[in-house]
Amino acid sequence: MPVIDIHNHFFPRTWPDLSARYGTPDWPWIKHTETGKAEIMVGDRFFRQIYSACWDPEVRLQEMDRDGVEMQIMSATPVLFAYDRSAEHALDCARLFNDAALELCAQGKGRLKSLCQVPLQDIDASCKELSRCMRAGHLGVQIGNHVGDKNLDDPGIVTFLHHCADEGAAVLVHPWDMLGQPRMPKYMMPWTVGMPAETQLGIVAMILGGTFDKLPRKLRLCFAHGGGSFAFLLGRLENAWKHHPVAHGLCELPPSQYLNRFSVDSAVFDPRALQFLVETMGAERVMLGSDYPFPLGEHGIGSLIRSSQLPEKTKTRLLGANAMEFLGLKSELKAPAAEPIPSVSTAPIVPKNEQLTYSSYLKVAELLGLQHPQSTPHHHDELLFIIVHQTYELWFKELLHDLDGVVASLQAVAADPSSHDDVYEAARLLRRCTEITRVLVEQFTILETMLPTHFLAFRGKLEPASGFQSEQFRELEFLCGLKDEKMLRYHRPTPEAHAQLERRLREPSVHDVFFQALQALGKLQVSIDATERERFQARARAVLSLYQDEHSHRDWIDVCERLTEFDELVVSWRLRHIQLVERVIGARVGTGGSTGSSYLKLTLDKKFFPELWEARTLLAE
Ligand code: HEM
């Protein structure tokens, strides 16, 4: 189970003297006091004691291992926001720390990721810096909950949040610059009292300011420290909203109806508070956040969630599954096979007290907003072209999901060869895969209602996009065992897809686990020094031995038949695709640069499970 901590901080080991760089006093600086220890100073004022986990990836990774954390999403510290400085200096400062974050991530063995910071007093500069950072590898941005007197409903900040949604950037809102400080000079009260109030203010300002009615639903927003005092006082807010028109603000719905628009982290330090938070926000809206490695952070990251009375399924969500969805990390970390986590786009996200409807469950509005024809003037058949491709991709997603299930079942058999249930489960899922693929073969006929002339009218708009870039199709090939590394080159422009395919290359395929299971069953023996050909023959003979003893191996023969049928249907898919291609573009070259149908014909010989076919040749009459 991936454990992902979405709220923790870093400081680089050193950075330039900012006061000298900008010619203004009181910028934060780091004073190393002894090995592995340092103090953050703001001008002459002591701000915070820190230790090497802040800047040393090795120490951080060791502590993550100790606490069973797979990934951390690091942010800078609000003391560096500089929203009250000149925008030019704040931007320069943001760039320094954003680049430093990526340097740390680069040494993090893929387990450290980061959120950038932006000069939020300048919206244009913030949007530009966010775009730069997203291209450079940040997963999103950490912002403060206000900029001077401007709360999060400020039109400029709303514009920035729009931009975050467009860029697919996750947003973590962190309280800072706490209110009422003259009355809280002692006892860390700005942290223990001011911060929760600031966070509550941030959320309430967004709700009552009507920002959630304006912002797209795809915006991924999380508030630190469990959302501060918000959840506990939601009833008070709701009461005011219902009974006092003046408390209505600009929002269209009662405040409690907006809980499905943001998440909170789990940094509340009390099991009862966590339980209440999950009940209020919903299990899909709370994520592990530790505030590590600061003094007020969670010692033993994730221990609050792990030791809580929450159901195991909920703990899985809080510890990592929700973060995977929130951060769009589906492709980098594998969710547990036993508890598949629906992706953001399919999760039924409704507030606890809002009734689920057909449309909200299926995300119909979002789905119907995903077709964007490119032709001008608009060409009637382009919509069909888009919808047919999108439908294929949806079914590819289901196929990957089911084939992952097949891998998990066969792995279970390899671990315990007496487990008949897992063999049946593999066969059951494979049957679904063959039925889906049958539909996919048929579906080309719909596209063939498009005349070649009509396609050529908008084909020019598609270049250089090509089926070669269908990540899921290639994933399917890799997952079934056809791992051609060369095909990765078509995914260089999309690093996420590239990383996902690299992962598939490394992971066991259906082919691998099928034969591992036969080996565990005692059907397959291969000597270490066998040649590739001899190994292939041994695998084919293992299949043969199943068919030869039908009475004892009905369940396995069913798996073999389903795999063979799937192989057969994928070849049918390739053939129908070629026929479609020839019908629509003749012998033209492809938009992906191949020779078109003559190239595609070469793929017809590809088989996922050639041993299953070879076994048929070996069968005696
Ligand atoms: C007008 C309809 C279509 C035409 C003209 C067409 C054309 C082509 C061509 C020429 C190629 C070779 C690569 C290249 O140079 O671009 C290709 C590959 C591919 N196409 Fe299509 N295609 C069409 C519809 C579809 C549909 C509906 C799908 C469904 C997902 C699809 C999926 C693919 C895939 C996955 C590949 C890569 C195949 C491989 O590498 O083995 N195509 N297509």
Side-chain angles (χ1 to χ4, degrees):
M1 175 183 62
V3 174
I4 305 172
D5 175 7
I6 59 129
H7 173 193
N8 53 85
H9 299 282
F10 75 97
F11 275 105
R13 189 187 296 272
T14 56
W15 61 87
D17 179 344
L18 301 179
S19 296
R21 190 176 173 101
Y22 307 134
T24 47
D26 295 338
W27 284 85
W29 58 284
I30 186 164
K31 181 160 93 182
H32 286 275
T33 47
E34 57 185 283
T35 310
K37 290 208 173 132
E39 289 172 357
I40 298 298
M41 305 290 294
V42 177
D44 296 336
R45 182 169 56 87
F46 168 81
F47 174 71
R48 179 170 298 165
Q49 177 96 43
I50 58 171
Y51 72 104
S52 53
C54 278
W55 62 82
D56 186 338
E58 261 186 43
V59 175
R60 189 177 274 263
L61 290 177
Q62 269 168 20
E63 299 196 341
M64 284 164 65
D65 286 340
R66 179 197 64 197
D67 293 349
V69 176
E70 197 159 340
M71 183 178 277
Q72 283 196 325
I73 318 301
M74 304 181 300
S75 321
T77 306
V79 72
L80 295 162
F81 281 161
Y83 295 165
D84 52 352
R85 306 277 181 161
S86 89
E88 188 194 339
H89 295 162
L91 173 62
D92 184 69
C93 172
R95 280 173 169 263
L96 283 175
F97 288 92
N98 291 340
D99 293 347
L102 289 179
E103 277 173 35
L104 278 181
C105 293
Q107 300 164 56
K109 305 190 170 139
R111 295 171 61 194
L112 301 180
K113 304 272 173 191
S114 55
L115 302 177
C116 64
Q117 67 174 64
V118 292
L120 207 51
Q121 63 272 58
D122 181 334
I123 299 305
D124 281 349
S126 292
C127 291
K128 282 192 192 126
E129 179 59 3
L130 178 87
S131 298
R132 182 187 81 90
C133 288
M134 292 301 286
R135 281 195 304 275
H138 288 269
L139 295 182
V141 60
Q142 176 190 234
I143 60 171
N145 69 305
H146 67 106
V147 178
D149 291 338
K150 294 176 182 165
N151 284 323
L152 294 178
D153 59 341
D154 171 73
I157 299 178
V158 174
T159 302
F160 174 71
L161 292 173
H162 251 287
H163 186 67
C164 292
D166 290 342
E167 286 280 355
V171 183
L172 175 67
V173 182
H174 200 292
W176 86 301
D177 185 23
M178 277 66 80
L179 43 78
Q181 293 213 36
R183 287 171 48 225
M184 298 189 269
K186 293 186 280 191
Y187 318 130
M188 287 192 85
M189 283 207 268
W191 278 265
T192 55
V193 178
M195 277 196 170
E198 281 291 350
T199 311
Q200 181 186 13
L201 177 52
I203 301 175
V204 172
M206 279 196 81
I207 293 177
L208 297 183
T211 55
F212 287 120
D213 299 317
K214 297 181 203 140
L215 285 165
R217 283 187 166 265
K218 66 180 177 183
L219 175 68
R220 290 172 281 143
L221 195 63
C222 175
F223 288 85
H225 311 136
S229 27
F230 172 79
F232 196 67
L233 294 174
L234 174 61
R236 183 175 171 82
L237 180 65
E238 191 85 351
N239 183 51
W241 197 89
K242 283 193 183 131
H243 300 295
H244 300 280
V246 67
H248 261 209
L250 304 174
C251 57
E252 289 167 9
L253 303 167
S256 61
Q257 302 292 305
Y258 293 93
L259 303 189
N260 63 343
R261 301 298 300 277
F262 60 92
S263 300
V264 295
D265 76 13
S266 64
V268 291
F269 307 95
D270 183 317
R272 292 162 306 173
L274 183 66
Q275 179 83 33
F276 180 72
L277 198 58
V278 170
E279 280 169 20
T280 307
M281 295 298 299
E284 69 283 359
R285 299 258 152 209
V286 183
M287 297 180 274
L288 170 62
S290 67
D291 229 340
Y292 167 95
F294 291 158
L296 278 188
E298 183 178 27
H299 299 281
I301 305 169
S303 51
L304 178 68
I305 297 174
R306 288 192 180 100
S307 64
S308 72
Q309 299 298 313
L310 294 165
E312 284 308 312
K313 222 167 142 184
T314 304
K315 288 184 188 177
T316 306
R317 280 197 155 276
L318 267 57
L319 285 170
N322 288 342
M324 279 170 71
E325 291 177 9
F326 181 75
L327 298 160
L329 284 174
K330 190 171 162 279
S331 55
E332 298 195 21
L333 293 168
K334 196 165 165 25
E339 287 291 351
I341 304 302
S343 72
V344 168
S345 55
T346 57
I349 298 164
V350 279
K352 263 161 55 89
N353 45 3
E354 185 183 305
Q355 224 175 5
L356 196 68
T357 64
Y358 175 88
S359 306
S360 66
Y361 177 61
L362 296 174
K363 303 254 157 223
V364 175
E366 287 87 337
L367 192 64
L368 299 184
L370 293 175
Q371 294 72 37
H372 302 287
Q374 300 285 315
S375 52
T376 38
H378 174 61
H379 198 287
H380 182 88
D381 280 6
E382 196 184 349
L383 185 63
L384 172 75
F385 186 80
I386 294 173
I387 288 181
V388 167
H389 278 83
Q390 288 183 337
T391 317
Y392 271 103
E393 290 294 335
L394 282 176
W395 282 122
F396 288 165
K397 180 172 180 174
E398 179 63 33
L399 280 176
L400 286 166
H401 180 58
D402 292 327
L403 288 167
D404 275 335
V406 172
V407 168
S409 298
L410 292 176
Q411 278 174 328
V413 187
D416 174 11
S418 66
S419 161
H420 289 284
D421 280 355
D422 288 304
V423 186
Y424 290 130
E425 180 62 2
R428 188 183 74 85
L429 289 174
L430 282 166
R431 167 95 208 290
R432 182 181 299 158
C433 294
T434 57
E435 292 314 312
I436 292 172
T437 314
R438 217 182 294 284
V439 168
L440 297 190
V441 175
E442 276 304 305
Q443 214 172 260
F444 285 122
T445 56
I446 307 175
L447 205 48
E448 283 174 342
T449 60
M450 176 177 67
L451 292 178
T453 41
H454 292 188
F455 178 56
L456 292 178
F458 64 85
R459 187 184 187 227
K461 289 280 175 196
L462 308 183
E463 263 163 332
S466 149
F468 271 158
Q469 294 162 336
S470 166
E471 175 203 339
Q472 294 198 105
F473 178 81
R474 205 59 66 201
E475 260 194 79
L476 280 169
E477 283 197 338
F478 288 5
L479 176 56
C480 289
L482 269 179
K483 296 183 176 178
D484 183 353
E485 213 174 326
K486 290 196 294 301
M487 300 315 274
L488 285 182
R489 68 178 184 274
Y490 296 106
H491 301 276
R492 275 192 210 120
T494 46
E496 272 216 358
H498 196 274
Q500 169 70 350
L501 284 166
E502 278 185 321
R503 183 172 75 73
R504 288 280 185 202
L505 274 181
R506 288 193 303 273
E507 283 181 358
S509 64
V510 177
H511 182 277
D512 295 331
V513 295
F514 173 69
F515 286 106
Q516 275 161 17
L518 291 196
Q519 203 159 14
L521 212 64
K523 294 285 166 197
L524 171 62
Q525 284 101 25
V526 196
S527 69
I528 317 168
D529 50 356
T531 63
E532 203 33 62
R533 180 73 205 154
E534 286 163 345
R535 283 168 196 275
F536 176 81
Q537 285 299 329
R539 290 196 294 267
R541 280 197 304 278
V543 174
L544 179 67
S545 69
L546 298 173
Y547 280 88
Q548 282 170 333
D549 186 3
E550 186 178 333
H551 179 70
S552 316
H553 299 306
R554 276 190 195 287
D555 50 354
W556 277 104
I557 291 175
D558 199 25
V559 172
C560 292
E561 286 296 292
R562 298 286 79 79
L563 289 174
T564 312
E565 197 175 352
F566 184 59
D567 223 357
E568 199 175 65
L569 283 161
V570 172
V571 176
S572 303
W573 185 91
R574 293 187 199 275
L575 183 64
R576 282 298 286 119
H577 175 249
I578 293 169
Q579 288 170 333
L580 164 79
V581 172
E582 289 187 338
R583 186 161 168 172
V584 180
I585 61 164
R588 279 186 169 76
V589 294
T591 45
S594 81
T595 53
S597 73
S598 59
Y599 159 79
L600 291 168
K601 281 178 188 161
L602 301 175
T603 65
L604 284 175
D605 285 337
K606 289 188 179 182
K607 285 206 167 61
F608 296 142
F609 313 104
E611 298 86 347
L612 291 173
W613 299 90
E614 178 70 7
R616 284 158 164 81
T617 313
L618 298 178
L619 271 172
E621 293 192 7

